[in-house]
Amino acid sequence: MKNWKQMLFSLTLSAGLLTGAAAPALAAPQQPAVKVNNQTVEYKTGSPVNNQGTMLVPLRATLEAMDAKLQNAAGDTIYAIIDGKAVTLKSKLTVINGVTYAPVRVLGDAAGYEVSWDAQTRTVILKTKTASGSSQTAVNTAGGRGFMWEVESNGNTVYLVGSMHIADDSFYPLSPEFEEAFAEADYLGVEIDISKAADEAQQKLVLEMGMYQDGTTLKDHISGETYAKLGLVLKQAGLQANALDKFKPWVAESTLSSLKSATAGYEASSGIDLYFIQKAIERKLPIVELESYESQLGMFNNFSKELQEANLLAAIDNYDEIDESIDVMAEIWKSGDDELLLQLTNSFAGDAEYYKAMLVDRNIGMADKIDGYLKNGKNEEYFIVVGAAHYLGEHGIVKLLQDKGYKVVRK
């Protein structure tokens, strides 16, 4: 049971950068689709792609389906005509086989559509918003209280926001306190900027660390029993039994967890941190990283052989219950219940290797970065978004900042 909860904790605590690590080896059971006001978009060139948890769509065809017109796309800037007005969007663009792709949520928001995800049919749904600002079918109520703290020092203000790295549309809209604090921010701080996940350098790093380079395969590094169980679960998911043979146990574990959570509608594309990253890109707000892709990947890669297999086996044995367990974590976030979050965090202290790597060491590093922001004396505001479980407990960021003399106020 401990390893099962531990595996889920990894999925929601780290920034979800492994969601698509094994993508070249996997074939999705069903191609994602896009519907605009109940009309399926027919793509003549290209098709929607789930890339590292972000749904990318062919730019020109999707804008046309939303009655918008692409004028030009250069670098990370989109120029379009929406409702007869010239609009400039800042967004990460990706070119696949000569077709330019962009995140569907960025396009939908700009064109005045409510964007949601139907996990059962694997369909992105865009519906025109009503005059009140909500979609024709959506209820405009906050998705939950969430977690946020405020720290002030030397004229600087830091808001500490707890994220769920995978989420669904029920989390939105966020409570006004989040949006108001973000609107005044000079910087957005995140664990890592996952909008860069598709960059060639990051993909190369994932493959270098996550794949075996010595000619061996996954079956050479885990027990025969674990390997056989993995094959059965992959077949259950509509994949080949050997689909993950090239990858190390920690990549296989994360891939299984991500596959199952996605079927329940929880994806990195709806995560709290990516939501604010996309808004920061639109505002041209500087994004600072408290960690790095290399440090997060290295943490997983440096787990002992025993811990990697234990976590993988937990993901296999509890595959059918992963979505229900993430539901529980989602409710903890929405309720903003500090006591339940603390109980969850403390439940992992029994495994010294895991707890030290996932929480203790990382929390110290992030708290030191935040301390530096508070001390720079530039009268700036930082909006920091990291996994919610990093904040509470004896080794949490809140306690570490308090030990440095700061007053941390729950909002």
Side-chain angles (χ1 to χ4, degrees):
M1 179 64 71
K2 179 183 72 174
N3 284 335
W4 165 39
K5 292 165 67 180
Q6 187 165 295
M7 169 270 298
L8 288 170
F9 194 54
S10 299
L11 181 64
T12 54
L13 183 61
S14 60
L17 70 158
L18 298 174
T19 305
L26 304 179
Q30 180 181 340
Q31 184 71 32
V34 176
K35 282 188 176 182
V36 177
N37 289 331
N38 295 320
Q39 295 294 316
T40 300
V41 180
E42 301 292 340
Y43 292 102
K44 295 180 180 179
T45 57
S47 58
V49 175
N50 189 328
N51 186 30
Q52 297 292 122
T54 298
M55 188 63 67
L56 303 180
V57 292
L59 176 58
R60 185 181 298 277
T62 304
L63 285 174
E64 290 176 353
M66 295 187 290
D67 294 324
K69 184 178 180 181
L70 177 67
Q71 294 289 93
N72 189 25
D76 289 340
T77 305
I78 303 167
Y79 305 93
I81 303 297
I82 299 175
D83 290 335
K85 299 179 181 179
V87 176
T88 301
L89 304 176
K90 296 295 291 184
S91 180
K92 181 69 178 180
L93 300 178
T94 303
V95 178
I96 304 175
N97 296 327
V99 178
T100 300
Y101 284 72
V104 68
R105 187 172 295 277
V106 172
L107 301 182
D109 287 345
Y113 288 81
E114 191 78 21
V115 185
S116 61
W117 169 251
D118 186 330
Q120 185 173 2
T121 61
R122 294 186 58 77
T123 302
V124 178
I125 298 173
L126 297 99
K127 285 189 175 292
T128 305
K129 294 180 180 179
T130 64
S132 64
S134 61
S135 73
Q136 295 170 352
T137 60
V139 178
N140 191 23
T141 57
R145 181 189 180 198
F147 297 92
M148 184 165 69
W149 296 263
E150 181 182 15
V151 190
E152 294 181 331
S153 181
N154 298 313
N156 288 0
T157 301
V158 170
Y159 286 96
L160 305 171
V161 175
S163 176
M164 275 279 289
H165 297 306
I166 56 173
D168 63 16
D169 291 319
S170 68
F171 283 67
Y172 300 94
L174 299 177
S175 64
E177 289 80 6
F178 285 86
E179 301 289 2
E180 291 167 6
F182 179 74
E184 299 298 324
D186 298 298
Y187 295 90
L188 170 66
V190 291
E191 294 173 27
I192 55 175
D193 182 354
I194 57 176
S195 70
K196 300 177 181 177
D199 290 357
E200 183 178 349
Q202 313 302 348
Q203 288 295 296
K204 182 180 179 181
L205 190 61
V206 171
L207 296 178
E208 285 179 348
M209 286 194 181
M211 295 177 67
Y212 291 107
Q213 309 294 330
D214 58 2
T216 61
T217 64
L218 181 62
K219 64 181 354 179
D220 299 314
H221 295 269
I222 60 177
S223 70
E225 180 182 3
T226 299
Y227 183 78
K229 286 184 175 182
L230 174 62
L232 292 175
V233 170
L234 289 173
K235 286 183 178 180
Q236 177 185 335
L239 305 169
Q240 296 294 319
N242 63 352
L244 297 174
D245 275 13
K246 297 179 180 179
F247 298 93
K248 296 178 181 179
W250 58 273
V251 177
E253 175 225 328
S254 177
T255 301
L256 277 188
S257 304
S258 298
L259 284 172
K260 185 60 173 176
S261 62
T263 64
Y266 294 99
E267 296 196 317
S269 59
S270 296
I272 306 301
D273 39 358
L274 186 56
Y275 170 81
F276 283 111
I277 287 171
Q278 290 174 338
K279 289 177 74 71
I281 291 172
E282 293 170 17
R283 282 181 51 191
K284 299 182 180 180
L285 192 72
I287 299 174
V288 294
E289 296 178 301
L290 277 69
E291 299 184 300
S292 67
Y293 273 85
E294 188 169 9
S295 69
Q296 284 208 357
L297 290 170
M299 175 193 65
F300 287 108
N301 198 42
N302 289 330
F303 280 164
S304 67
K305 179 180 179 180
E306 293 76 17
L307 180 57
Q308 287 193 41
E309 180 165 357
N311 286 345
L312 174 58
L313 186 58
I316 295 169
D317 288 344
N318 298 282
Y319 185 74
D320 291 331
E321 301 175 34
I322 289 175
D323 47 0
E324 296 178 10
S325 301
I326 299 178
D327 284 340
V328 173
M329 294 186 179
E331 289 307 312
I332 292 175
W333 189 92
K334 292 176 186 177
S335 69
D337 192 318
D338 291 22
E339 183 177 344
L340 289 177
L341 179 62
L342 179 59
Q343 288 178 12
L344 178 66
T345 303
N346 288 341
S347 68
F348 304 102
D351 190 312
E353 179 189 358
Y354 180 86
Y355 188 72
K356 184 175 186 297
M358 286 294 290
L359 284 174
V360 178
D361 292 345
R362 294 175 66 198
N363 289 354
I364 291 172
M366 288 192 279
D368 287 345
K369 286 277 186 76
I370 295 166
D371 180 39
Y373 303 150
L374 288 164
K375 286 180 175 177
N376 67 26
K378 296 181 180 180
N379 295 311
E380 296 174 328
E381 182 171 308
Y382 290 77
F383 191 85
I384 306 293
V385 185
V386 302
H390 285 290
Y391 288 110
L392 298 181
E394 184 66 23
H395 301 283
I397 291 173
V398 169
K399 177 66 162 52
L400 292 173
L401 290 175
Q402 290 172 337
D403 290 345
K404 293 177 183 292
Y406 297 108
K407 182 181 179 181
V408 184
V409 180
R410 179 72 156 92
K411 306 297 287 183

